[in-house]
Amino acid sequence: MADDVNDAIDEETAESSEALIAVHWREEEYYDPPAKLTAQANASSPAIREEFTEDKFPDSFTAYADLLTWYKRWDTVLDTSNAPFWKWFTGGELNASYNCVDRHMETHPNKAALIWIPEPESEAHQAITYRELYVRVNEFAAVLKDLGLKAGDRITFHMPMVPELPVAMLAAARLGVIHSQVFAGFSGTAAGHRIADSGSRVLVTMDGYYRSGDLLDHKVKADEAVEAAAKEGQEVDKVLVFRRYPGQYSAETPMVEGRDVFVDDLLAAHKGEIVEPVPLAATDPLFLMYTSGTTGRPKGCQHSIGGYLSYVAGTSKYYQDIHPDDTYWCMADIGWITGHSYIVYGPLALGTTSVIYEGTPNYPDAGRPWRIAQQLGVNIFHTSPTAIRMLRKVGPDEPAKYDYHFKTMTTVGEPIEPEVWRWYYETVGKREAAITDTWWQTETGGFLGSTLPGVDKMKPGSCGPAALGILPVILDEDANEVPAGSGKAGNICIRNPWPGVFQTIWGQPERFVSTYYAKYNKDPESKDWHDWPYFAGDGALEAADGYFRILGRVDDVINVAGHRLGTKELESAALTVNEVAEAAAVPVVDDIRGRVVEMYVSLKPGYEATPEVENKVKRAIETDIGKIARPKNIWIVPDMPKTRSGKIMRRVIAATSNFTDTGDITTLANPEVVEKIRQQVQSSKVAKGEVPRELSETELHEIRSFGSE
Ligand code: WTA
């Protein structure tokens, strides 16, 4: 027994030092910010950093809070009395819906708040002015109020990319109802788990929406969601169904009598009604956003009204460089944090015009985004490396055919390869636009690392320096600081709280502390923020110039197309298949989506590896999580490579799937199985033409250290 424990400890230490593998990190050249951009930028001089230095913290962030309209000003900027549950702007009162709608309706009612582009090009776009937004938000708030919903209640949305989604969010925010929007591409079951976890009794959905030319039946997922939630003891009383074409039902799935209601019918009964925004405490929750972590259960990240809204308004101003007359398009999904912060709350808090696109970027062809940009005069563009890689692959010459001019372009969610960065800069941006590569997370509410577009030189592959007021540090496993320019990687942490940081994990405060703050805290009783570095869960490297290169997750999370999928979630889905004894998910480098998932399973005695079992595993993952998580390959193997303490060595199978060196396998309990698996997997991949290109330093680092936490 004692020996086993020692073995396990030895293995763990060997592995964590391996996470700091020395790699030679090539430095990229710098690009200057465009002079024309600098001349008009909200942040036009490096002097702005002086206003956010450590000695000015936390008061420096009142500059962000001052972008909002408060019913009552705060008494305390940062309250640390219940560390690490930071409270920002305590004593202050405000309403997010008022800040994003009413106050702009008063000053510029006829300006477009949202422009919605339906996927079919035959359908005209819809511009929704601030006045119209005001009317629609009020009417929907009246519907919610009529259902008895009030401040502090939760409501789940499972909505596609339609203007009804921001309307619903802002209506909930008006009442203080905490919204939880689940990405429409997630399965009904996944939505059901989130309904149950948040304790929502109302689900808002839509009958259908367009993706790649098809009008999908989305309502069917609501039935699955309600059923899954009920299994976990959460009853849903009402399902509100928006109709893609009001008055006409676009789904096949029947409406359930007494439970399901068409929203257009309800709205008719509340026409022109006004619901005054409720003044709420700055520290009250605005929404939950679920994300994956190391365990099977997704975490509901709880964001505050005052701190969050201040932070997204401030970062939208300085990092997106949003001015009142800009037309801003973030081609992401509102179902993720990017859409919450930088399609809805940040841009609307600043009173700009935010574009929403329903469909896939390359539908009907790879020129679509650039046609939209030309037609609407979009001048700020924002998307993910996955979308950029895809558009570059299918339409490398398309941008040149359209007459649009971007001043800034953002990328978010994954590392961007320098070659892809250069295509974005030269071809999409026509060398006129600054690129901001923004590093942040669902938990962090807004950007943590990025260049200031009008100020800083850009360096492909690095997100840039810390965002204003953010104090990062890279620590090794023993909490020693890894100095800038040392060429060594470590765990990136943020030393100080900031207003956008999430408040807790809904219903799991211990998990909040243990996952994000316990690792480097030496005194759990401390009320001093200096004692509570935020552990981001990303490996990173700081260059001598203070720019950060993000290397990816250090936990068991796979970033597919910029979306986090927990290996445990994938594995538990696979384990619901009766034949499966063990399952392990690993990342495989993919030229478009960054990473895709491959699943290794071993079967219970007496079962044979058949295509049918493979299909069952695939279906289980699609049902539990959604199509986004569908593995590229499922390998049914005779046994998993394991340590002597029985832990599956994910880095060994990850290396196999990626054709890289498996490293030292002599400490395994069953080293002989490694070669068997290698032959099985790699010969089959060679036959399918799936041999990857040579991996970059960042990719190699991730594969070699995968699963070492
Ligand atoms: C990764 C998305 C490199 C990182 C806003 C992080 C990035 C996770 C970048 C959060 C970037 C995000 N460069 N990696 N610019 N931005 N990541 O919660 O691993 O969906 O921890 O939030 O994505 O993903 P999430």
Side-chain angles (χ1 to χ4, degrees):
M1 181 69 205
D3 270 359
D4 278 359
V5 172
N6 283 334
D7 276 354
I9 292 171
D10 284 352
E11 285 159 9
E12 306 272 327
T13 356
E15 277 184 51
S16 49
S17 52
E18 216 157 350
L20 303 171
I21 320 159
V23 188
H24 174 68
W25 304 98
R26 192 162 28 96
E27 280 297 304
E28 295 289 333
E29 60 186 313
Y30 292 108
Y31 289 71
D32 284 320
K36 199 171 149 198
L37 167 71
T38 307
Q40 58 79 69
N42 287 327
S44 56
S45 142
I48 191 166
R49 290 222 161 74
E50 301 306 312
E51 292 159 39
F52 286 89
T53 48
E54 185 163 356
D55 56 312
K56 301 204 172 109
F57 177 84
D59 292 355
S60 44
F61 281 117
T62 59
Y64 286 3
D66 282 332
L67 296 172
L68 306 179
T69 305
W70 296 74
Y71 296 117
K72 183 169 171 283
R73 216 177 152 76
W74 54 90
D75 310 314
T76 309
V77 175
L78 172 64
D79 172 354
T80 64
S81 59
N82 189 23
F85 299 87
W86 314 121
K87 294 198 196 90
W88 282 90
F89 309 120
T90 52
E93 285 181 15
L94 77 169
N95 184 287
S97 183
Y98 178 84
N99 274 282
C100 293
V101 186
D102 304 41
R103 62 178 185 151
H104 309 305
M105 201 272 292
E106 286 154 17
T107 54
H108 42 268
N110 298 322
K111 174 176 170 176
L114 302 170
I115 300 179
W116 180 56
I117 314 284
E119 190 188 73
E121 267 185 307
S122 55
E123 288 182 24
H125 68 254
Q126 285 178 22
I128 299 168
T129 64
Y130 274 98
R131 172 177 294 287
E132 287 167 321
L133 183 62
Y134 174 79
V135 170
R136 289 174 70 165
V137 166
N138 272 285
E139 288 175 355
F140 195 64
V143 167
L144 299 182
K145 202 173 163 188
D146 209 34
L147 292 173
L149 289 165
K150 53 179 193 322
D153 292 344
R154 277 81 56 209
I155 186 167
T156 297
F157 303 151
H158 196 198
M159 291 284 289
M161 283 292 286
V162 290
E164 287 79 359
L165 172 53
V167 165
M169 290 161 69
L170 294 163
R174 202 166 184 84
L175 300 170
V177 174
I178 305 167
H179 60 75
S180 164
Q181 152 69 5
V182 179
F183 171 56
F186 273 146
S187 66
T189 309
H193 293 319
R194 288 155 176 79
I195 290 172
D197 189 81
S198 62
S200 302
R201 60 179 188 81
V202 178
L203 169 66
V204 183
T205 189
M206 187 166 238
D207 55 353
Y209 65 101
Y210 282 98
R211 278 311 270 186
S212 303
D214 298 323
L215 182 57
L216 307 178
D217 181 344
H218 186 61
K219 161 66 169 62
V220 62
K221 290 187 176 176
D223 299 323
E224 291 159 7
V226 170
E227 192 189 319
K231 274 198 200 133
E232 294 181 43
Q234 179 64 41
E235 291 304 325
V236 173
D237 319 328
K238 277 282 173 273
V239 177
L240 308 187
V241 184
F242 277 104
R243 283 190 273 199
R244 175 64 174 72
Y245 299 98
Q248 168 191 332
Y249 190 43
S250 301
E252 304 265 291
T253 325
M255 296 286 279
V256 175
E257 181 80 43
R259 186 197 74 184
D260 301 353
V261 205
F262 290 128
V263 181
D264 42 332
D265 291 343
L266 292 178
L267 286 172
H270 293 281
K271 212 156 182 52
E273 243 171 75
I274 298 296
V275 177
E276 286 309 319
V278 179
L280 297 155
T283 52
D284 282 343
L286 178 59
F287 66 84
L288 307 178
M289 171 61 65
Y290 281 86
T291 190
S292 297
T294 39
T295 75
R297 189 173 162 202
K299 304 177 271 197
C301 296
Q302 176 184 316
H303 282 284
S304 70
I305 304 174
Y308 171 84
L309 197 64
S310 301
Y311 197 67
V312 297
T315 48
S316 293
K317 176 170 175 182
Y318 294 119
Y319 288 91
Q320 309 289 338
D321 196 41
I322 289 178
H323 292 64
D325 293 329
D326 289 324
T327 299
Y328 166 87
W329 181 18
C330 172
M331 193 176 67
D333 198 291
I334 301 176
W336 309 107
I337 192 70
T338 300
H340 275 50
S341 301
Y342 299 114
I343 296 177
V344 181
Y345 285 113
L348 295 186
L350 297 181
T352 197
T353 301
S354 185
V355 176
I356 298 179
Y357 173 54
E358 176 179 36
T360 41
N362 58 334
Y363 185 82
D365 57 69
R368 187 71 192 275
W370 324 125
R371 277 203 292 289
I372 294 173
Q374 172 182 293
Q375 187 188 7
L376 302 183
V378 171
N379 66 338
I380 305 177
F381 184 69
H382 187 159
T383 193
S384 65
T386 290
I388 303 167
R389 288 185 211 109
M390 201 228 326
L391 292 166
R392 173 177 180 243
K393 183 165 181 209
V394 296
D397 305 321
E398 288 300 310
K401 299 180 187 161
Y402 297 92
D403 181 23
Y404 64 82
H405 297 276
F406 297 148
K407 63 169 179 172
T408 61
M409 303 192 298
T410 301
T411 109
V412 57
E414 322 153 59
I416 180 164
E417 300 74 7
E419 318 84 76
V420 179
W421 191 99
R422 279 188 275 271
W423 181 76
Y424 198 32
Y425 179 75
E426 282 159 14
T427 306
V428 177
K430 308 175 178 178
R431 299 170 182 264
E432 301 168 331
I435 294 182
T436 49
D437 175 346
T438 58
W439 168 68
W440 59 298
Q441 312 175 302
T442 304
E443 293 86 339
T444 73
F447 307 145
L448 294 179
S450 170
T451 47
L452 279 164
V455 174
D456 299 319
K457 288 179 191 300
M458 303 164 256
K459 188 163 74 172
S462 297
C463 66
L468 294 170
I470 300 291
L471 307 170
V473 61
I474 297 186
L475 299 175
D476 69 13
E477 288 300 315
D478 304 319
N480 301 310
E481 208 170 314
V482 180
S486 65
K488 288 210 183 80
N491 296 313
I492 187 161
C493 296
I494 308 299
R495 288 197 290 117
N496 62 321
W498 65 98
V501 70
F502 71 139
Q503 300 180 291
T504 188
I505 301 175
W506 180 260
Q508 302 179 73
E510 311 77 27
R511 192 174 169 199
F512 171 77
V513 179
S514 64
T515 309
Y516 300 98
Y517 291 101
K519 189 170 175 90
Y520 292 117
N521 168 261
K522 295 191 188 85
D523 172 13
E525 299 304 314
S526 172
K527 307 286 175 222
D528 181 348
W529 62 260
H530 294 86
D531 292 326
W532 294 95
Y534 168 82
F535 174 72
D538 276 327
L541 189 81
E542 184 177 0
D545 57 13
Y547 279 39
F548 293 91
R549 186 198 295 231
I550 305 298
L551 303 175
R553 307 290 311 177
V554 299
D555 54 10
D556 292 344
V557 169
I558 306 176
N559 195 335
V560 177
H563 306 311
R564 284 156 64 176
L565 298 174
T567 48
K568 289 280 172 356
E569 262 173 87
L570 291 154
E571 291 161 7
S572 351
L575 288 167
T576 62
V577 174
N578 180 42
E579 291 88 337
V580 172
E582 284 180 312
V586 294
V588 177
V589 171
D590 182 87
D591 280 339
I592 301 291
R593 287 179 290 172
R595 303 288 178 274
V596 290
V597 173
E598 285 197 3
M599 200 77 201
Y600 284 71
V601 296
S602 66
L603 304 183
K604 291 175 187 162
Y607 288 106
E608 257 179 66
T610 59
E612 207 211 322
V613 177
E614 252 177 58
N615 278 331
K616 279 191 189 172
V617 173
K618 213 171 268 184
R619 255 180 286 132
I621 292 174
E622 283 184 25
T623 311
D624 260 25
I625 307 171
K627 290 211 169 69
I628 184 182
R630 189 196 287 154
K632 178 165 188 180
N633 287 301
I634 290 164
W635 305 111
I636 304 180
V637 294
D639 196 7
M640 300 281 186
K642 283 185 197 137
T643 64
R644 271 170 281 165
S645 50
K647 196 174 134 194
I648 299 178
M649 291 295 276
R650 289 192 182 76
R651 69 169 170 80
V652 173
I653 48 183
T656 306
S657 276
N658 287 283
F659 288 77
T660 61
D661 178 16
T662 49
D664 180 15
I665 53 166
T666 54
T667 57
L668 294 195
N670 53 353
E672 69 292 345
V673 75
V674 176
E675 182 52 25
K676 271 195 222 154
I677 295 180
R678 197 187 64 79
Q679 286 188 8
Q680 173 190 349
V681 169
Q682 295 186 350
S683 61
S684 160
K685 279 179 168 253
V686 168
K688 291 202 265 182
E690 280 182 18
V691 181
R693 57 172 165 73
E694 202 184 319
L695 303 195
S696 73
E697 301 147 345
T698 318
E699 291 160 347
L700 265 181
H701 180 274
E702 180 185 323
I703 300 306
R704 286 187 191 159
S705 50
F706 189 74
S708 57
E709 257 276 302

